[in-house]
């Protein structure tokens, strides 16, 4: 069937041949986890009561997924700080799925569309590609963190130790009793990244790809300042997750909203692509 040929083509050219970016994702996360290990060790040397506590893979992963507490200044007398590592992770993951669809359309994609005479094949195969490449890149990131964690003696557990709340600066009066299991938070991050990638792809059919990227990144940045269930980025932050706090956002709800967002975006994108000027795009 022609549709599966489109998918196979995208997997070959958009995933397998993009292995360098996946390797970079692994290396970046590996190095970030290494920096966290040094920070964690320094914290333990200052707070000797935590020195003999075995770290977990969850301790390393929460560094990426922590985000920031909303209204921290009002709650704890702390100044608001943009979660730079969380934003860098979002920016990088969105960047990975930015260029391929329209670059492929400007090249051999036009010929494939003419041969198939089915715009739906091309469009929905690209949605599947966004899902596949986001999953591959996300797994590579988690593997990089896991490998560094294991090298540092961490246990294979998604439980996060209590002192990480202070070490990564998301301490809050609403914290649940530790340890905190962040498996659902990690799943929510993956599904939400897929949804944002599809939204970015659809927006790029209306605007230039760079503008669509900046728009979605701006949306993610707004999530750090505004606490609202309508901003799905809130469900991606451990500091705002019910996995860790009593006053937060439930990851399963975030997954449901993200799936809904991806479906709505795909429908809008298909309607747009049905009347898209393919021959006029370079």
């Amino acid at each position: 069937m022609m549709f599966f040929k489109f998918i196979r083509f995208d997997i070959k050219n958009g995933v397998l041949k993009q292995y360098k970016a996946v390797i970079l994702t692994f290396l970046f996360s590996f190095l970030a986890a290494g920096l966290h290990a040094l920070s964690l060790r320094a914290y333990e040397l200052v707070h000797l009561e935590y020195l003999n506590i075995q770290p977990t893979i969850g301790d390393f992963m929460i560094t990426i997924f922590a985000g920031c507490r909303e209204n921290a200044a009002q709650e704890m007398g702390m100044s608001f700080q943009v979660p730079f590592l969380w934003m860098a992770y979002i920016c990088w993951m969105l960047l990975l799925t930015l260029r391929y669809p329209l670059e492929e359309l400007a090249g051999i994609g036009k010929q494939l569309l003419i041969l198939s005479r089915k715009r739906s094949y091309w469009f929905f195969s690209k949605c599947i590609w966004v899902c596949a490449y986001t999953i591959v890149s996300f797994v590579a990131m988690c593997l990089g963190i896991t490998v560094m964690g294991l090298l540092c003696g961490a246990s294979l557990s998604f439980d996060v130790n209590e002192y990480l709340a202070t070490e990564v600066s998301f301490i809050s009066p609403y914290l649940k009793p530790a340890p905190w299991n962040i498996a659902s938070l990690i799943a929510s991050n993956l599904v939400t990244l897929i949804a944002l990638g599809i939204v970015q792809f659809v927006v790029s059919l209306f605007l230039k790809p760079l503008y669509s990227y900046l728009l979605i990144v701006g949306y993610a940045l707004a999530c750090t300042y505004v606490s609202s269930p309508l901003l799905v980025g809130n469900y991606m932050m451990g500091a705002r997750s019910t996995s860790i706090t009593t006053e937060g956002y439930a990851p399963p709800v975030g997954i449901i909203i993200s799936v809904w967002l991806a479906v709505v975006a795909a429908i809008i994108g298909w309607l747009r692509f049905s009347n898209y000027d393919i021959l006029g795009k370079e």
Side-chain angles (χ1 to χ4, degrees):
M1 185 177 176
M2 182 64 71
F3 180 59
F4 293 105
K5 291 183 179 180
F6 270 85
I7 295 175
R8 186 164 60 248
F9 178 86
D10 287 333
I11 295 299
K12 177 182 177 181
N13 293 278
V15 177
L16 299 180
K17 289 187 177 181
Q18 303 292 329
Y19 68 91
K20 292 182 180 179
V22 176
I23 293 174
L24 278 177
T25 302
F26 175 89
L27 292 176
F28 286 161
S29 61
F30 182 81
L31 294 175
L35 292 175
H36 169 67
L38 294 175
S39 174
L40 192 61
R41 186 61 177 174
Y43 184 86
E44 291 171 344
L45 291 175
V46 175
H47 301 83
L48 297 179
E49 64 271 25
Y50 300 124
L51 190 59
N52 294 321
I53 295 179
Q54 184 182 21
T56 67
I57 297 302
D59 290 346
F60 282 80
M61 287 193 174
I62 196 61
T63 308
I64 302 291
F65 302 130
C68 63
R69 275 294 301 174
E70 72 276 15
N71 300 322
Q74 290 81 359
E75 292 177 356
M76 305 294 293
M78 300 165 60
S79 60
F80 178 81
Q81 293 181 339
V82 176
F84 290 106
L85 186 57
W86 184 84
M87 278 302 303
Y89 142 68
I90 299 294
C91 290
W92 175 253
M93 297 299 287
L94 289 173
L95 185 63
L96 292 176
T97 56
L98 176 64
R99 297 176 56 187
Y100 172 75
L102 294 187
E103 284 188 353
E104 189 264 352
L105 180 61
I108 194 173
K110 289 181 182 179
Q111 301 174 34
L112 295 175
L113 275 170
I114 293 172
L115 289 174
S116 69
R117 298 182 180 179
K118 290 285 187 178
R119 290 185 177 222
S120 59
Y121 290 173
W122 184 91
F123 177 79
F124 288 110
S125 71
K126 293 303 176 290
C127 290
I128 293 174
W129 170 81
V130 170
C131 296
Y133 198 50
T134 300
I135 291 172
V136 170
S137 301
F138 190 83
V139 169
M141 182 190 71
C142 291
L143 280 177
I145 297 171
T146 300
V147 170
M148 176 55 76
L150 293 176
L151 290 176
C152 295
S155 63
L156 276 173
S157 170
F158 289 127
D159 288 343
V160 177
N161 287 305
E162 182 177 12
Y163 65 97
L164 265 295
T166 304
E167 200 271 331
V168 298
S169 301
F170 67 75
I171 190 168
S172 165
Y174 305 114
L175 292 178
K176 290 180 176 179
W180 309 296
N181 189 284
I182 60 170
S184 61
L185 173 67
I186 295 172
S188 179
N189 268 259
L190 173 57
V191 176
T192 305
L193 281 173
I194 291 173
L196 292 177
I198 292 176
V199 171
Q200 177 180 254
F201 166 49
V202 170
V203 174
S204 69
L205 297 176
F206 294 87
L207 306 174
K208 291 184 178 180
L210 177 60
Y211 296 155
S212 69
Y213 174 73
L214 294 176
L215 184 63
I216 304 303
V217 167
Y219 173 84
L221 181 62
C223 295
T224 66
Y225 290 94
V226 181
S227 176
S228 169
L230 298 178
L231 298 176
V232 292
N234 283 283
Y235 296 93
M236 301 175 69
M237 301 187 207
R240 303 183 186 184
S241 173
T242 54
S243 300
I244 295 175
T245 71
T246 57
E247 299 288 335
Y249 299 94
V253 175
I255 290 174
I256 293 172
I257 294 176
S258 295
V259 170
W260 174 84
L261 178 64
V263 171
V264 171
I267 293 173
I268 294 173
W270 162 235
L271 294 175
R272 165 63 173 169
F273 193 67
S274 297
N275 300 293
Y276 195 68
D277 181 12
I278 299 171
L279 298 178
K281 296 294 179 181
E282 296 295 337

